[in-house]
Amino acid sequence: MKVDIIGGGPGGLYFAILAKKAWPAMRITVYERNRADDTFGFGVVFSDETLETFEQYDLESYRAITANFAYWDDIEIHFKGTVHRIGGNGFCGCARVTLLKLLHERARQLGVELKFQTEVDPAAPRDADVVVAADGINSRIRAQHADVFRPETDLRPNKFAWMGSTRPFDAFTFFFRETEHGIFIAHCYQYEPGQSTWVMETDPETFARAGLDKLDEQQSATFLEGVFAKELAGHKLTVNRSLWRNFPTIRCEKWTHDNIVLIGDAKATAHFSIGSGTKLAMEDAIALFNAFKATGDAAGKSAQPAETRSYVKRALAHYETERRLEVEKTQHSADVSLVWFEHVRRFWDMDPRRFAFGLMTRSKAITYDNLALRAPEFVSEIDKVVADDVRRQGFDVDVVKPTVPMFQPFRLRGMTLANRMVVSPMDQYSAVDGMPTDWHLVHLGSRATGGAGLVFTEMVCVSADARITLGCTGLYTDAQEAAYKRIADFIHGNSAAKFCLQLGHAGRKGATRLMWEGMDQPLPEGAWPVISASPIPYYPNSQVPREMTRADMDKVVADFVQAAERGQRAGFDMLELHCAHGYLLASFISPLTNKRGDEYGGSLENRLRFPLEVFRALRKAWADEKPMSVRISATDWEEGGLTGDDAVRVARAFAEAGADLIDVSTGQTTPDAEPIYGRMFQLPFSDQIRNDAGIATMCVGAITSADQVNTIIAAGRADLVALARPHLVDPFFTMKAAAWYGATDIHCPPQYLPGRDQIFRNSVRDRADLTELKLKAKPKGHAAVWKQAAE
Ligand SMILES: Cc1cc2nc3c(=O)[nH]c(=O)nc-3n(C[C@H](O)[C@H](O)[C@H](O)COP(=O)(O)OP(=O)(O)OC[C@H]3O[C@@H](n4cnc5c(N)ncnc54)[C@H](O)[C@@H]3O)c2cc1C
Ligand SMILES: Cc1cc2nc3c(=O)[nH]c(=O)nc-3n(C[C@H](O)[C@H](O)[C@H](O)COP(=O)(O)O)c2cc1C
């Protein structure tokens, strides 16, 4: 087989090495436009995990890499005169030129042909069986076949430039500096003795105010020497094609076309703040090599061209299917990470310890538990930060040996919650004529006894025609009020949980089927007329709602108020107004569903008018000492719909009207939305509202572990954390978490005390076992090995 590799970066070279080693008869040529010793950039970094992978695939290059790299274990964060050093990270770095040289040497030794100073024309025909396009971020091959690869570039707003310095480092170091122009960030690491990389980053406004657009490379370096004078400690900044750029996040719909395959930056990029560009390129090379291996023996494929073509096609398809998820996951982490740096101002006023914790946990890979293993003192400090905050709220909590963040109390008006765990509202579709049944009593009662600080009802409908389905509960008759009072009394009599009533109106999603019979699908018979902000059906086959008149609005306000009054009498501790998920009030807020020409449509201010009117009427009817929250869809996940920035304005408007907490959900406005799912995927919106608008938030969505809850609370990204689906299968989620973290104060009904004692006892042992297992599974720490060898 003949293989042409376009681009002699780490991706192209590493594939050449692996393939040539496995199949020496393969004719492999690497074409590179630069000279062998040319390079841009300064150093590259790998983690211990990545090095372990390299060790498995090519021992020789692994040895060469590990002999030439500098190692460190710590991350250091310099912020407002404080320094936090967090160990156990396991990184190594070397000069990019060194890495390339040792890969050249290894490739040559195996018989790969390296052609330098050779620009490949992507349009020229090639006689190779496989063309590996490893031609980097500006890939001409990708551009040549853009109609097939369908690349998308998301040019990020921040400006960055790679620079270097002779300033030594013994940790991966972040410097944050505020100047008269704005904030500058330096991401720094040493890659060989006396040489360090400095990736400089700033937001576009600061960039413009500082006049950096008018400065050349050297002038920019001189300016930054002023900004980071203290940090550079007398060292100069060096430049090497250190132009200011905007980072392009590149994604391609397809990575293969006939016999052409994209690898490395050519196919997808990941922001430099997670240090994964070179790693991704080399791991792509491994994945491509594995795809050929899994498809058959590449060595014997030269005789029959048709057979070779089919073999190559299958191998490339295999690469694309096997590799995509991993790359997308890394890109997602990188996206979350870059957003943190883009919004650093949001965290600027935080306690420096909390700021450092937020930075460490920004991309979700590192969590509270994970840090507690490798940097226990740092995590103890974080526990103290949270406890101090809680003490400032007037709670008499232990600040010397505080409990973990999720078991810290919280107050909203006159209501005190014992912990930060919330059972999210979940419709049970089990009502009869709007009446909650024994199912609701058992369901809500058991979740309350399970230890959560706050338990929500499902969306309780304010009138019969406000119901989503025939299985939804309501609060518009005396019998319903009595049935809810029975549940509230049970919860208050048997648990420490507080009970929140969520009131809503289905709007255009009303008169639909039970969840398990076809969610949001219209009732086949017995449907009642539905109303909405505008006469737009949810699905093409849904009922067309009637556009609400002012008379309808008056009736709806009155229905909400009477339901709140019933809720008050039933003994609820808190009231939530449901303005999310495309139901009636949400349909006013989103521009996708509100096309009205009157004062209730158009601008966001107008679209909020009716939901705010309902809220104000409720606030008046609801006892002053009892809190109120509003659930919103912070984004519609659709072009032209609500965005996170709009959500901040929506949250502010409700807060001004007296809302104490914003319950931050997203989407479900239209069926065309394209949410980006993932662990804790809605959390960034809670973060944005809490820290931009300074309003208490509750977050929700794909949060499944107590570790995540602690991470969220400690980082200050939400005040309360709601779990829905995990609570469906585990009412005792909170009790178990309390046992795990030794939070002995948790309330337990006396009937269950023996079970509680047992789980608290066993958890101590289980936790010790797991810690030991995790420590054993940690990749080999190269920093320690390196230090030993050096000594
Ligand atoms: C300015 C800059 C500085 C960087 N510095 C660092 C750093 O210090 N540390 C780090 O970890 N990451 C750095 N990165 C990111 C990192 O370089 C990439 O993520 C990684 O190198 C990707 O590897 P690759 O093999 O896919 O592509 P590259 O390493 O980009 O290699 C592609 C190669 O293809 C060659 N090429 C392109 N087109 C043709 C053609 N038509 N004909 C012949 N040859 C061609 C290029 O000359 C290049 O050598 C930097 C990126 C940029 C843009
Ligand atoms: C069965 C079920 C019913 C739900 N009913 C409601 C509801 O009545 N009101 C509401 O605001 N959200 C409702 N939700 C949404 C949840 O409160 C929550 O926002 C969502 O499930 C994401 O959280 P999770 O990933 O923890 O499940 C429901 C979710 C589920 C799974």
Side-chain angles (χ1 to χ4, degrees), residues 462-463 465-466 505 507 529-535 545-561 584-585 588 596 598 600 610 613-614:
V462 295
S463 61
D465 58 2
H505 187 304
V530 297
I531 51 173
S532 190
S534 296
R546 184 163 56 77
E547 178 173 297
M548 276 179 86
T549 61
R550 186 56 241 187
D552 292 325
M553 291 181 197
D554 291 342
K555 159 140 190 341
V556 168
V557 173
D559 287 345
F560 267 100
V561 169
L584 184 70
L585 298 178
F588 274 84
R596 298 176 73 102
D598 59 8
Y600 300 100
F610 180 58
E613 183 184 333
V614 175

Side-chain angles (χ1 to χ4, degrees), residues 330-364:
T330 308
Q331 274 195 306
H332 183 65
S333 287
D335 286 353
V336 176
S337 170
L338 71 84
V339 166
W340 191 93
F341 288 99
E342 285 173 3
H343 295 288
V344 67
R345 171 66 69 195
R346 187 178 288 165
F347 316 108
W348 204 252
D349 294 329
M350 282 184 173
D351 178 292
R353 293 167 291 182
R354 182 167 252 170
F355 179 90
F357 183 85
L359 170 59
M360 289 300 297
T361 55
R362 69 193 181 281
S363 72
K364 304 191 249 182

Side-chain angles (χ1 to χ4, degrees), residues 424-427 429 458-459 502 515 578 581 631 665 682 700-703 722-726 728:
S424 200
M426 277 183 286
D427 200 341
Y429 307 96
E458 61 189 40
M459 177 173 116
Q502 186 189 56
M515 175 179 73
H578 199 327
H581 302 169
R631 180 165 253 207
S665 187
Q682 299 176 150
V700 67
I703 300 164
L723 271 63
R725 289 165 297 172
L728 283 181

Side-chain angles (χ1 to χ4, degrees), residues 7 10-11 32-34 42-43 96 118-120 134-135 162 264-265 277-278:
E32 169 56 51
R33 64 155 74 107
N34 292 336
F42 295 89
R96 180 177 151 101
T118 311
E119 173 79 34
V120 169
D135 52 347
W162 294 84
D265 276 2
T278 310

Side-chain angles (χ1 to χ4, degrees), residues 396-428:
D396 183 23
V397 292
D398 187 346
V399 287
V400 181
K401 274 191 132 200
T403 185
V404 294
M406 68 180 280
F407 287 104
Q408 292 289 352
F410 188 64
R411 179 175 296 130
L412 288 169
R413 296 202 185 211
M415 181 185 81
T416 298
L417 302 178
N419 59 59
R420 308 304 182 96
M421 277 299 309
V422 179
V423 177
S424 200
M426 277 183 286
D427 200 341
Q428 296 299 292

Side-chain angles (χ1 to χ4, degrees), residues 6-12 31-34 40-45 96 100 118-122 134-141 160 162 189 197 240-241 245 263-266 270 275-278 281:
I6 320 302
Y31 298 90
E32 169 56 51
R33 64 155 74 107
N34 292 336
F40 58 76
F42 295 89
V44 297
V45 277
R96 180 177 151 101
L100 292 181
T118 311
E119 173 79 34
V120 169
D121 174 2
D135 52 347
I137 206 159
N138 298 316
S139 172
R140 290 180 63 199
I141 302 200
F160 77 99
W162 294 84
Y189 56 92
T197 298
N240 175 0
R241 289 205 229 167
R245 294 157 206 261
I263 69 168
D265 276 2
S276 292
T278 310

